[in-house]
Amino acid sequence: MTEKKNLSSPDLKSEKNEKDYSKYFDFSNATIEEDEKGQYMKIGGRRILIKDQPSYQKGRRRRREDVEVHYDFSIPEQMKGIGNGKKYLIRTYGCQMNYHDTENMAGILEELGFTATEETEDADVIFLNTCAIRENAENKVFGEIGNLKTLKREKPELILGVCGCMSQEESVVNRIMEKHQHIDLIFGTHNIHRVPHLLYEAIQGKEMVIEVWSKEGDIVENMPRKRVGKTQAWVNIMYGCDKFCTYCIVPYTRGKERSRLPEDIIEEVRDLARQGYKEITLLGQNVNAYGKDLGGDYRLGHLMDALHQIDIPRIRFTTSHPKDFDDHLIEVLSQGGNLVEHIHLPVQSGNNDILKIMGRKYTREEYVTLANKIKKAIPHASFTTDLIVGFPNETEEQFQDTISLVKEMDYDSAFTYIYSPREGTPAARMEDNVPMEVKRDRLRRLNEVVNEISARRNKELEGQIVEVLVEGESKKDPNVLSGRTRTNKLVNFKGPRECIGEIVYTKITEAKTWTLDGELVEIKEVNPL
């Protein structure tokens, strides 16, 4: 028998469901039902199956439980062929990790029989793989959710899913339940391997299905993957982050740090080399913390040293945290070969007081010492960073410390951002007391300095011959090819389409602020070691 309770009933708050929805929205008219499948909420005429939901409180806990590695992914019998004759579309927002996750979801959907489409109107399943790092990214997603409502009315059998980092946020899930009941499925970053089961329940049950794990997450090794292209590949080496910078939502949306086993990573890279890939990028929210959770002395430097022996032309990694960039890693990277000369080392601020309240766990002086050590070991490397302006309490004098650090480090380029509070983070409880017009002005002035340095650094390459991995046609001109140097600089040049996917030499003819123009010299015979 189905048991119904009013949501406000005091005995509703069990261990499984201790959420106070009224914190975000008015759920006073909602009711709760329970049966053998789980817990349901009825609100606004829609029944919502709540299998699990995000909790910042759970996300803050860091238990010492062992991470399980699974090699047994399979498609359930009842789901085999369910997508035959149907199409899917995945819209991806955010970082490389999200695009990597999209490759997994695409692989799973194609195993179910679906085929990809770029046309929204043709899709039978649409997933929005979301980013939570900045408020603007969330606004774009909610705008798209609203746009899809009309299509859902015209095509009620369409399955709409929201996944990724936004799904790990309490307020986002509750906002969708209250305001966007045309969404059929919400799942998070830890349970992508559950897509076949969740999709089955959404299709068969005709109710919104929510399963977002706040648990730490395991590692699933053998999920199918549909990679984009045959030239560059992302290889995830670890998940999560334990740094808990005060402004950052990632430790809550991605869970604790957990590393893949070295042998699994090495085998994946070897397989990519056999397939002819020219470049791989090792991914992790805090990639150079790799191995700390494995219980031994094996770290990113050891992994990079092993990958250095594999016959693949280029290997990169992102993103680093200065606190975990050790001397052994620097020594290994200095070998060169297929380990490319580009270091992305986020600093966020040049002022020690701001770094402290950001929870960055290093000082400006420590960062500069590390950066100079890297530059000395790898003198021809390009050096890039991330910077935030307008953090709570940031004064003009503290902002000028960031400007002076940019000049001192002479960055090739930088990703610059205006601070925006993310609900659930410690910084969100601080007073956001730097006016928006001041933030915008500081961003403008910072970008002027960054762009001036970038233009000068690029100018130094004029007349030089550089190695370029050709990625495809230029977005602005199909007659122009575009690719990147080992130092991650974008080069545009005219050449035959046969160059796409190959490594070529180009002579730089003109340097611009963000790109380089060149002319083809020759196609390289690749021998990275």
Side-chain angles (χ1 to χ4, degrees):
M1 179 180 291
T2 299
E3 182 182 3
K4 294 184 178 182
K5 298 180 182 179
N6 188 280
L7 190 63
S8 60
S9 175
D11 61 348
L12 174 67
K13 294 184 178 180
S14 62
E15 286 186 7
K16 188 172 182 179
N17 182 35
E18 53 189 22
K19 191 76 62 209
D20 179 11
Y21 296 97
S22 61
K23 175 182 176 183
Y24 303 104
F25 302 102
D26 179 14
F27 284 80
S28 57
N29 293 324
T31 58
I32 291 293
E33 302 177 356
E34 293 185 17
D35 62 18
E36 67 279 357
K37 270 186 154 184
Q39 189 178 76
Y40 296 85
M41 174 186 289
K42 286 190 105 173
I43 180 172
R46 184 104 198 250
R47 205 163 80 131
I48 303 170
L49 174 58
I50 304 174
K51 299 178 72 66
D52 211 337
Q53 54 199 313
S55 164
Y56 288 134
Q57 185 176 7
K58 291 179 183 177
R60 290 188 187 100
R61 298 169 187 159
R62 284 292 189 263
R63 295 180 292 275
R64 295 182 178 272
E65 297 173 0
D66 291 335
V67 172
E68 294 184 10
V69 182
H70 302 273
Y71 300 88
D72 56 353
F73 175 88
S74 62
I75 301 296
E77 278 298 323
Q78 71 269 26
M79 287 298 290
K80 290 180 179 177
I82 199 169
N84 289 347
K86 298 179 180 179
K87 298 180 179 180
Y88 74 91
L89 171 63
I90 305 176
R91 291 217 172 100
T92 310
Y93 306 79
C95 68
Q96 296 99 324
M97 192 73 76
N98 280 20
Y99 282 90
H100 180 275
D101 288 346
T102 288
E103 290 182 343
N104 282 131
M105 287 185 277
I108 291 172
L109 290 171
E110 296 204 358
E111 287 275 314
L112 295 172
F114 293 91
T115 56
T117 180
E118 294 295 323
E119 301 298 325
T120 305
E121 293 76 14
D122 293 342
D124 299 281
V125 171
I126 298 176
F127 286 167
L128 303 181
N129 188 7
T130 63
C131 172
I133 201 74
R134 311 218 176 270
E135 185 178 13
N136 188 47
E138 290 196 3
N139 291 337
K140 286 181 181 179
V141 172
F142 275 112
E144 185 62 18
I145 289 174
N147 292 337
L148 290 170
K149 189 172 186 177
T150 301
L151 181 61
K152 179 69 172 178
R153 284 176 180 157
E154 296 172 353
K155 194 176 179 180
E157 71 277 10
L158 170 67
I159 298 295
L160 297 178
V162 177
C163 55
C165 291
M166 277 177 61
S167 298
Q168 296 286 154
E169 296 185 87
E170 295 177 47
S171 59
V172 167
V173 172
N174 290 314
R175 180 176 173 182
I176 292 173
M177 285 194 293
E178 171 77 6
K179 304 293 185 183
H180 302 285
Q181 294 183 24
H182 58 289
I183 296 299
D184 300 286
L185 176 59
I186 304 174
F187 60 97
T189 59
H190 302 336
N191 59 333
I192 290 171
H193 62 287
R194 292 268 301 152
V195 163
H197 305 271
L198 300 175
L199 192 57
Y200 180 81
E201 289 177 333
I203 292 171
Q204 299 297 320
K206 305 299 182 185
E207 60 227 351
M208 186 190 297
V209 178
I210 299 173
E211 183 177 283
V212 182
W213 292 353
S214 294
K215 63 171 287 190
E216 307 301 350
D218 291 332
I219 294 174
V220 182
E221 278 296 341
N222 66 331
M223 280 190 288
R225 179 175 297 135
K226 183 187 178 183
R227 296 189 185 273
V228 178
K230 288 290 184 181
T231 304
Q232 298 161 293
W234 291 305
V235 175
N236 200 313
I237 67 169
M238 67 177 299
Y239 305 86
C241 182
D242 288 346
K243 285 295 181 283
F244 284 96
C245 300
T246 58
Y247 56 83
C248 187
I249 197 70
V250 167
Y252 310 102
T253 62
R254 289 284 178 175
K256 74 175 181 182
E257 290 175 356
R258 50 207 191 277
S259 303
R260 293 177 63 196
L261 298 175
E263 55 266 33
D264 291 327
I265 299 168
I266 292 168
E267 179 52 39
E268 182 176 348
V269 174
R270 282 177 177 156
D271 182 59
L272 291 169
R274 286 191 290 267
Q275 294 180 50
Y277 282 85
K278 300 293 195 302
E279 178 178 293
I280 64 163
T281 301
L282 307 180
L283 295 180
Q285 267 79 31
N286 181 18
V287 70
N288 51 349
Y290 174 80
K292 284 188 171 184
D293 58 311
L294 293 178
D297 296 326
Y298 199 94
R299 296 289 186 268
L300 181 59
H302 301 91
L303 179 64
M304 296 294 284
D305 203 23
L307 298 179
H308 178 60
Q309 310 305 318
I310 296 176
D311 188 15
I312 198 164
R314 293 182 176 185
I315 299 175
R316 306 182 183 276
F317 62 92
T318 193
T319 290
S320 300
H321 191 290
K323 193 68 177 175
D324 293 319
F325 213 117
D326 59 40
D327 290 346
H328 181 238
L329 177 58
I330 297 173
E331 179 185 347
V332 170
L333 294 177
S334 69
Q335 298 176 81
N338 58 357
L339 308 181
V340 300
E341 302 82 22
H342 171 228
I343 304 297
H344 185 69
L345 195 65
V347 65
Q348 308 302 358
S349 173
N351 177 267
N352 283 338
D353 290 336
I354 296 296
L355 288 172
K356 185 174 182 179
I357 61 175
M358 283 181 167
R360 291 294 288 174
K361 300 180 176 66
Y362 55 80
T363 64
R364 172 185 174 131
E365 292 74 22
E366 290 168 340
Y367 179 92
V368 170
T369 298
L370 171 64
N372 288 335
K373 190 184 299 184
I374 296 171
K375 289 183 175 185
K376 182 177 180 181
I378 317 169
H380 301 297
S382 63
F383 213 72
T384 58
T385 195
D386 294 343
L387 297 160
I388 297 173
V389 300
F391 197 76
N393 300 318
E394 184 189 61
T395 64
E396 175 63 23
E397 183 181 9
Q398 291 169 330
F399 168 69
Q400 287 299 327
D401 285 343
T402 296
I403 294 288
S404 69
L405 179 68
V406 169
K407 293 178 179 178
E408 181 179 358
M409 286 293 93
D410 211 31
Y411 292 112
D412 287 78
S413 64
F415 296 98
T416 59
Y417 307 96
I418 287 175
Y419 168 75
S420 62
R422 310 308 299 131
E423 183 178 339
T425 64
R429 299 194 294 271
M430 304 176 189
E431 183 183 356
D432 188 12
N433 53 6
V434 180
M436 181 54 70
E437 61 269 23
V438 174
K439 292 180 182 180
R440 291 196 182 105
D441 181 64
R442 288 178 185 172
L443 183 68
R444 178 189 58 78
R445 287 186 283 152
L446 175 61
N447 284 338
E448 285 177 357
V449 175
V450 169
N451 293 343
E452 180 183 345
I453 296 172
S454 295
R456 174 174 51 76
R457 297 282 292 172
N458 282 349
K459 189 77 173 175
E460 295 169 1
L461 292 173
E462 284 188 351
Q464 293 190 28
I465 295 174
V466 297
E467 177 191 293
V468 176
L469 175 57
V470 186
E471 299 175 359
E473 297 175 352
S474 167
K475 294 179 180 178
K476 295 182 178 179
D477 186 349
N479 297 314
V480 174
L481 300 181
S482 182
R484 292 191 178 271
T485 66
R486 290 172 59 90
T487 54
N488 207 39
K489 293 180 182 287
L490 188 64
V491 180
N492 297 309
F493 66 97
K494 288 187 176 180
R497 288 187 54 81
E498 291 74 19
C499 290
I500 295 176
E502 300 297 330
I503 291 178
V504 305
Y505 287 115
T506 64
K507 183 177 181 179
I508 302 305
T509 56
E510 183 180 0
K512 300 176 181 178
T513 301
W514 300 290
T515 63
L516 301 165
D517 287 347
E519 58 184 25
L520 181 64
V521 177
E522 64 176 305
I523 298 177
K524 178 182 177 183
E525 291 293 329
V526 178
N527 183 17
L529 302 181

